[in-house]
Amino acid sequence: MTGVLAPPPQGSDLKAVPGVPGIPYIGNTLSVMRDPIGQARKRYDAYGPVAWGWLLGQRTCTVQGPEAAEVVLVNRDKAFANGPAWSYFIGPFFYRGIMLLDFEEHLHHRRIMQQAFTRPRLRSYMDAMAPGIVKGLDAWEPGQDFKVYDHLKQLTLDLAVDVFMGVELDRAERDRVNGAFIDAVRAGTAYVRFPVPGLRWHKGLRARKVLEEFFYRHLPAKRRDGGDDLFAALCQAETDDGHRFSDEDVVNHMIFALMAAHDTTTITLTTMSYYLAKYPEWQERLREESLALGKPRPGYDDLDAFTGIDMVMKESLRMVAPVPALPRKVVKDTSILGYHVPAGTVVVVPMLSNHHMAEWWPDPERFDPERFSADRREDKAHKYAWAPFGGGAHKCIGLYFAGMQVKTILHQMLQRYRWSVPARYEWPLDTTSLPSPKDGLPVRLDRLETP
C-alpha cells in the first residue's frame, strides 16, 4: 500500500512526500536494520531522494543524497531540531548531551565545551594517551582468532578514561563502566521501548544510573584539583561573560563525550583494520609510511605526514559511517528539495547509505582510499557527499580529537603487528545499532620485530 506523508498546502508548488507506510509503527524497521544500504537503494529507485515510512514506531521521512543532507544539516530556516529526534532514541541514556541540545542553548553549551578541544588541549590529550597506547598494544597476544573489535574497544575505553577522566581505575571498575556504555548505546535501537527486565531498554536505564553515580563520585575532586583532562576542562571552562557548567551539565556532557569518544573511534579503527587485513598491499604501504617517520611515538605535528593513513581512514569512514543515520525532528512546516514536510515529522539523513550512492561515488562498494588523494578528491563532488561527522551547527565537536587518536593508535599498531584474514573472509556487520562485526573481527595477529 502506497501513500503520501501529508498533502502540500493549497496553492504551493510543493509535492507530497511519497512512500510505503507498511504496518503502522513497525513498517520496514526490520529490513532497514538488517540491510540499510540495500533498502535505501530500493527506496531511492522507487521514490527518489525524499520518501517516508514507519521506522522504530515513528512516521519517518528519509532523505537521501548530499543535496537533501545539506538542507537538513545546515538548517538555514531552523526547522530541524536535533534534541527531540535523538531523545527518542538515546534521550533517557544520554540525557542533555551536547548532541541533544538545540539552537541558542546548544550554541551556548558548545562555546563552553569548545574550550576542551583547543589545539593546546589536543596536544595535552595526545601526551596523556601515549603511555596507555603502548601499554594496551603491548598486552595484545599474537595468534589465530584475535578479536580486533573487542581489543580495540577495550583500548579506546581505557584511553578515554585516562584522557578524559584523569583518574586511576582498577580493571573491575573499567569493565563495569565499559559494560554500562555498551548497554546504554544498544538501548537506543530497542524494539520494546519501555523497561522490561532483561531487555535492552531496561538495561540502558540501569546503565545510565551506573554512569551518573560514577561521574558524580569523582566530580568534587576534579572541581578542586583540576588537571589536563576533559573532565577538568569542563569543570573549569568559562565563557567571556562568566558562564560555567553546573555539576549536572558536566556529568551529562561527560557521559555523552566518553561514549562518543570511544565507540565511534572503535568502529573506525576496526573498519580500517578489516580493510587493511583484506588488502595487505595497503597495510604494507601504511607500515612503510609509519616506519619512515623514524620514531615509535608521533608528535602532534607529525600527524600531517600520515597521508596514507588519512586516506584509509576517510575511505573507511565512507564504507562504514560510525553514526549510520542522523535524525532530526521538524518543528515547523518546511520543504526539502521541493517536497512538503509538515511539523512533527522525523527526518533521517542516512549517512551509511549516502556514502554508497553510485550517483556520487564511482564503484561505491570498492575499497579505494585513493578516492581521497590530492588529484582525485571524490569527496569534493559535493560538500555533503562525505559527511561522517555530520554538518552545520551540530558537526561533531570532537572530530579533530578522533582523527588524532585514530592515527596515533594505527601508527603504533602498524609498527608492532601484521594482521590478516582468510582470502574469502567477509565480515558479518551488525547494523541494528552502531555498526560492529558480529564475530568481533577475528584475525591472525603476528608480532613484528621491534624496529
Side-chain angles (χ1 to χ4, degrees), residues 120-143:
R121 283 283 184 185
L122 291 176
R123 287 180 182 273
S124 71
Y125 299 155
M126 191 165 173
D127 290 340
M129 277 194 299
I133 294 174
V134 172
K135 181 180 178 183
L137 293 180
D138 283 348
W140 287 7
E141 296 183 7

Side-chain angles (χ1 to χ4, degrees), residues 78-115:
K78 296 187 176 179
F80 305 100
N82 225 40
W86 277 110
S87 291
Y88 178 80
F89 295 102
I90 63 172
F93 322 110
F94 297 99
Y95 175 70
R96 290 186 63 77
I98 189 71
M99 195 170 69
L100 278 69
L101 304 178
D102 278 299
F103 308 123
E104 290 305 315
E105 184 181 38
H106 168 257
L107 289 176
H108 172 69
H109 279 248
R110 192 177 178 97
R111 286 190 194 104
I112 301 175
M113 202 169 190
Q114 198 73 54
Q115 296 175 46

Side-chain angles (χ1 to χ4, degrees), residues 93 179-180 182-208:
F93 322 110
I182 292 171
D183 287 344
V185 171
R186 288 177 61 81
T189 51
Y191 298 133
V192 179
R193 306 185 72 78
F194 50 87
V196 176
L199 298 186
R200 282 189 181 188
W201 196 264
H202 181 263
K203 290 179 179 178
L205 293 174
R206 190 172 57 189
R208 171 73 192 198

Side-chain angles (χ1 to χ4, degrees), residues 258-336:
L258 196 55
M259 178 274 291
H262 94 279
D263 245 344
T264 54
T265 303
T266 298
I267 294 166
T268 303
L269 280 165
T270 302
T271 305
M272 294 173 75
S273 298
Y274 169 64
Y275 285 108
L276 292 177
K278 291 271 290 181
Y279 298 90
E281 68 275 14
W282 271 100
Q283 188 179 150
E284 292 307 317
R285 174 173 167 176
L286 298 196
R287 183 170 291 110
E288 289 175 8
E289 178 182 87
S290 281
L291 292 173
L293 185 65
K295 47 183 169 179
R297 173 183 164 185
Y300 186 82
D301 295 326
D302 295 321
L303 297 179
D304 288 341
F306 295 146
T307 55
I309 292 178
D310 189 66
M311 288 192 295
V312 169
M313 179 179 72
K314 287 177 177 175
E315 176 69 338
S316 296
L317 286 167
R318 185 191 71 82
M319 297 293 283
V320 182
V323 180
L326 303 173
R328 299 289 190 267
K329 188 74 172 280
V330 179
V331 295
K332 62 181 180 182
D333 287 4
T334 189
S335 64
I336 302 173

Side-chain angles (χ1 to χ4, degrees), residues 117-243:
F117 292 98
T118 61
R119 187 176 293 264
R121 283 283 184 185
L122 291 176
R123 287 180 182 273
S124 71
Y125 299 155
M126 191 165 173
D127 290 340
M129 277 194 299
I133 294 174
V134 172
K135 181 180 178 183
L137 293 180
D138 283 348
W140 287 7
E141 296 183 7
Q144 296 281 6
D145 202 34
F146 178 88
K147 301 293 181 67
V148 173
Y149 176 81
D150 300 345
H151 284 81
L152 284 173
K153 187 168 182 61
Q154 188 65 64
L155 175 62
T156 56
L157 179 73
D158 287 348
L159 293 177
V161 170
D162 292 340
V163 174
F164 284 3
M165 287 288 295
V167 296
E168 291 291 330
L169 300 178
D170 61 29
R171 175 50 59 193
E173 181 142 38
R174 285 177 184 258
D175 289 345
R176 190 169 70 96
V177 171
N178 196 10
F181 275 108
I182 292 171
D183 287 344
V185 171
R186 288 177 61 81
T189 51
Y191 298 133
V192 179
R193 306 185 72 78
F194 50 87
V196 176
L199 298 186
R200 282 189 181 188
W201 196 264
H202 181 263
K203 290 179 179 178
L205 293 174
R206 190 172 57 189
R208 171 73 192 198
K209 292 180 180 179
V210 169
L211 296 172
E212 285 182 351
E213 182 277 329
F214 174 76
F215 284 106
Y216 275 117
R217 176 157 44 90
H218 290 284
L219 192 142
K222 196 58 62 175
R223 285 273 198 206
R224 182 187 67 241
D225 301 333
D228 291 328
D229 50 89
L230 178 68
F231 203 179
L234 294 182
C235 287
Q236 297 160 7
E238 186 174 323
T239 61
D240 292 339
D241 52 1
H243 285 99

